Amino acid sequence: MRIASFVLSLALVGGVACSETLPTVAPVAAHDGGSPIEPTRERSASVAFDENGISEPLAFVVPPSTRSIAVVVEGEAAHLHALASFTMADGVELVGIDIARSHTDAMQHNYFTEQSGTMPGELRQSPRLGTFTHVYPYAPDQTVIEGTATLRVVRDAPFGAATVRVLMAPDDGARVLHLNLVRVTATEDLPADPPFLRELRRIFRQADIEVVVDEVLTLRDTGLEKIASMTEPQETSESDSVSLARMVGATTSTTALDVMIVDALPPGVGGLSLGVPGPPMPESYYYGVLVESGPDARSVARVIAHETSHFLGLQHVVNRGASGRLYLDPIPDTVDEATNLMAHGTELTPGQAFVLTRSPLLSTN
């Protein structure tokens, strides 16, 4: 991990294959032959890809009362990754692509040419270079079903391997979002009670989410206070924004989501999220969001809320690909109007609130 030298000013606000037998990432019975072991809520396993870039199937057990399933695939940074199949205990295949052929051309076209960040098939997912994340459900009409589930991963190259992590958050009413606020600057410090915080909290309360700030930091002399370039549709592991995220991740002392407020972003860019959704893992190089500082506290709050909502799983109400094709978000009650947070406003619909509250980043305290 490359860490540039910098001066730190800190204000601590709060603590805080393919064979007959599927590989499994959850135990199903006690070693003594007694009662079944309660399935755990976080599992990881390695998978290998075939000549078509399709992995072996991976089985895992979804416990009762699970609010969401987050799948994080960590593979080679130069290759796109996504889900090739995903089936829960009801046997319904959610992705629906042909796992007997390669999807390299389609994946690379959608990502690099169309810049839509979409994947063929029925499941709305965003393929990603290196680390891919998917959180299900991502719309109010979707349900997590307890029992044995299986998935396969696809990448845009034959053979190779990746690590798959499955996080199954409990349906425990978690509504607290912890943030670290990090000012990356050559100028002023970020006060312990930033002026944008009240409006930021008001926006998220629409989804019954309470924002808690763990740390307020100011980083100087990083060389990254002005981010001059970015890549579409999402940042790469070699970008300046990811370099900054690595640096900040090595500096903060909590697992809260890092909100990095910089002096400048590329022209026309007010903020960016390092994932849609982002990996719910503080150790990931894609952990965090960036926002350009500004004099209008309400505007800064809106951009932080917008980019953080991307990281938690919300899409734009409408995205436009390089071809001009429009890609609508999958939530039925959103409309493309200026008042919506994922357009140009601050309002959230009940459907968007549902999606936000599925995020494994939320806690109960």
Side-chain angles (χ1 to χ4, degrees), residues 158-232:
F159 307 113
T163 298
V164 179
R165 295 179 63 175
V166 182
L167 298 88
M168 295 163 282
D171 194 6
D172 56 1
R175 293 293 188 275
V176 178
L177 174 63
H178 288 266
L179 301 178
N180 291 323
L181 304 178
V182 184
R183 182 72 171 96
V184 185
T185 183
T187 58
E188 81 280 6
D189 286 355
L190 186 65
D193 186 18
F196 56 75
L197 190 53
R198 181 176 179 179
E199 174 66 1
L200 179 64
R201 285 175 166 151
R202 183 199 68 80
I203 293 171
F204 276 109
R205 284 194 186 111
Q206 296 176 89
D208 196 27
I209 292 173
E210 188 66 28
V211 171
V212 172
V213 177
D214 285 11
E215 290 182 272
V216 177
L217 312 174
T218 297
L219 303 185
R220 297 183 181 275
D221 302 327
T222 66
L224 293 169
E225 61 271 5
K226 295 183 178 182
I227 305 296
S229 63
M230 60 177 291
T231 54
E232 293 286 359

Side-chain angles (χ1 to χ4, degrees), residues 183 187-188 190-191 194-197 199 261-264 270 291-304:
R183 182 72 171 96
T187 58
E188 81 280 6
L190 186 65
F196 56 75
L197 190 53
E199 174 66 1
I261 306 166
V262 299
D263 289 344
V291 174
E292 184 174 276
S293 180
D296 185 342
R298 291 176 66 87
S299 177
V300 172
R302 194 202 77 79
V303 178
I304 294 175

Side-chain angles (χ1 to χ4, degrees), residues 22-28 39-45 57-63 66 68-72 83 85-89 94 134 136 144-153 164-168:
L22 302 182
T24 182
V25 291
V28 294
T40 62
R41 293 194 172 272
E42 182 174 349
R43 290 296 182 179
S44 66
L58 185 67
F60 56 96
V61 177
V62 180
T66 295
S68 65
I69 300 171
V71 181
V72 181
L83 290 177
S85 67
F86 181 29
T87 306
M88 286 184 281
L94 298 173
H134 181 76
Y136 187 93
V144 174
I145 300 172
E146 67 177 271
T148 301
T150 61
L151 62 81
R152 294 176 187 256
V153 180
V164 179
R165 295 179 63 175
V166 182
L167 298 88
M168 295 163 282

Side-chain angles (χ1 to χ4, degrees), residues 54-362:
I54 306 293
S55 81
E56 56 204 319
L58 185 67
F60 56 96
V61 177
V62 180
S65 301
T66 295
R67 76 170 182 263
S68 65
I69 300 171
V71 181
V72 181
V73 180
E74 298 173 283
E76 295 177 64
H79 292 295
L80 293 167
H81 300 79
L83 290 177
S85 67
F86 181 29
T87 306
M88 286 184 281
D90 60 358
V92 176
E93 167 54 46
L94 298 173
V95 180
I97 65 172
D98 186 354
I99 60 172
R101 68 176 183 86
S102 169
H103 295 273
T104 294
D105 290 347
M107 292 177 72
Q108 293 184 349
H109 172 82
N110 287 1
Y111 193 88
F112 296 109
T113 304
E114 175 66 350
Q115 297 184 352
S116 64
T118 59
M119 179 70 193
E122 299 300 318
L123 193 73
R124 180 67 178 263
Q125 52 177 325
S126 300
R128 193 76 193 271
L129 291 166
T131 300
F132 159 83
T133 305
H134 181 76
V135 177
Y136 187 93
Y138 55 83
D141 58 348
Q142 298 169 334
T143 303
V144 174
I145 300 172
E146 67 177 271
T148 301
T150 61
L151 62 81
R152 294 176 187 256
V153 180
V154 58
R155 78 175 199 157
D156 66 340
F159 307 113
T163 298
V164 179
R165 295 179 63 175
V166 182
L167 298 88
M168 295 163 282
D171 194 6
D172 56 1
R175 293 293 188 275
V176 178
L177 174 63
H178 288 266
L179 301 178
N180 291 323
L181 304 178
V182 184
R183 182 72 171 96
V184 185
T185 183
T187 58
E188 81 280 6
D189 286 355
L190 186 65
D193 186 18
F196 56 75
L197 190 53
R198 181 176 179 179
E199 174 66 1
L200 179 64
R201 285 175 166 151
R202 183 199 68 80
I203 293 171
F204 276 109
R205 284 194 186 111
Q206 296 176 89
D208 196 27
I209 292 173
E210 188 66 28
V211 171
V212 172
V213 177
D214 285 11
E215 290 182 272
V216 177
L217 312 174
T218 297
L219 303 185
R220 297 183 181 275
D221 302 327
T222 66
L224 293 169
E225 61 271 5
K226 295 183 178 182
I227 305 296
S229 63
M230 60 177 291
T231 54
E232 293 286 359
Q234 298 195 66
E235 292 285 72
T236 71
S237 64
E238 302 302 317
S239 66
D240 284 348
S241 60
V242 169
S243 294
L244 178 58
R246 293 179 192 268
M247 181 187 301
V248 169
T251 304
T252 55
S253 61
T254 80
T255 59
L257 180 65
D258 296 326
V259 177
M260 295 158 276
I261 306 166
V262 299
D263 289 344
L265 288 172
V269 178
L272 63 91
S273 173
L274 293 180
V276 185
M281 309 181 319
E283 67 272 22
S284 174
Y285 49 76
Y286 286 148
Y287 193 68
V289 303
L290 285 77
V291 174
E292 184 174 276
S293 180
D296 185 342
R298 291 176 66 87
S299 177
V300 172
R302 194 202 77 79
V303 178
I304 294 175
H306 178 101
E307 300 304 336
T308 301
S309 293
H310 274 319
F311 200 90
L312 299 186
L314 289 187
Q315 304 277 346
H316 286 142
V317 176
V318 179
N319 275 319
R320 184 183 298 272
S323 67
R325 176 182 172 183
L326 300 181
Y327 299 84
L328 307 182
D329 90 353
I331 303 173
D333 65 356
T334 58
V335 292
D336 187 20
E337 59 181 23
T339 60
N340 192 275
L341 177 63
M342 305 316 290
H344 304 289
T346 62
E347 294 180 3
L348 289 166
T349 69
Q352 289 173 313
F354 171 86
V355 174
L356 290 172
T357 57
R358 300 309 95 187
S359 173
L361 280 173
L362 300 184

Side-chain angles (χ1 to χ4, degrees), residues 7-70:
V7 179
L8 168 65
S9 171
L10 166 64
L12 184 63
V13 176
V16 193
C18 183
S19 62
E20 292 293 322
T21 302
L22 302 182
T24 182
V25 291
V28 294
H31 296 295
D32 61 3
S35 301
I37 295 174
E38 175 72 15
T40 62
R41 293 194 172 272
E42 182 174 349
R43 290 296 182 179
S44 66
S46 296
V47 295
F49 297 95
D50 64 17
E51 67 276 8
N52 292 316
I54 306 293
S55 81
E56 56 204 319
L58 185 67
F60 56 96
V61 177
V62 180
S65 301
T66 295
R67 76 170 182 263
S68 65
I69 300 171

